[in-house]
Amino acid sequence: GNTFNQDITSSRDAGTTIFTQTLNFVLPKLSSELEFQIKMLAYGRPQIFVEAMNGTILLMGEKFGCEVTGKSEVQGTMDALNGYTMTAVATEQNPVWFLSASASVALKALASTQSVAV
């Protein structure tokens, strides 16, 4: 259920190019703590690090941040999702940033000391 996409839109008339970065993601397990964190994401303009299946880490919303544009709280039956489906969108002047190998290692080390179980 997690997908990342980057669209490029150029306007010949305006002489501009923008990159729209969209992340659809699922956060399993409903909790009041996670609900609070989601609220803080929605209030702010966070930068979001995305780890691809190949281990590459991308930074979306580098200059202007991301907007959390959708949140759906799903409370299913025994075999369904109990969690959140969300969308974050960033509109930037440059494409996503790819973190170097050393920056990726440093970010993972920092995140492991700061993470909250979800």
Side-chain angles (χ1 to χ4, degrees):
N2 301 325
T3 60
F4 173 79
N5 189 50
Q6 179 171 251
D7 294 321
I8 304 168
T9 305
S10 294
S11 170
R12 190 174 293 212
D13 295 334
T16 59
T17 299
I18 60 169
F19 298 85
T20 303
Q21 304 154 4
T22 306
L23 176 66
N24 295 298
F25 58 104
V26 177
L27 298 172
K29 300 181 183 176
L30 300 170
S31 72
S32 60
E33 294 84 5
L34 188 55
E35 184 71 29
F36 175 77
Q37 292 172 347
I38 290 169
K39 180 175 79 170
M40 294 297 102
L41 281 173
Y43 285 170
R45 303 236 351 133
Q47 294 174 322
I48 299 176
F49 292 97
V50 179
E51 184 172 9
M53 290 294 292
N54 65 3
T56 302
I57 297 181
L58 315 168
L59 171 60
M60 63 180 285
E62 183 262 335
K63 185 172 183 181
F64 300 109
C66 301
E67 286 185 45
V68 177
T69 59
K71 174 194 155 270
S72 176
E73 188 173 311
V74 181
Q75 296 187 31
T77 58
M78 286 178 33
D79 61 347
L81 170 69
N82 284 298
Y84 306 88
T85 58
M86 304 190 61
T87 302
V89 177
T91 303
E92 295 285 330
Q93 298 168 330
N94 294 304
V96 294
W97 290 88
F98 288 79
L99 271 63
S100 66
S102 60
S104 295
V105 168
L107 177 67
K108 286 180 181 181
L110 177 65
S112 68
T113 63
Q114 304 291 318
S115 65
V116 175
V118 289

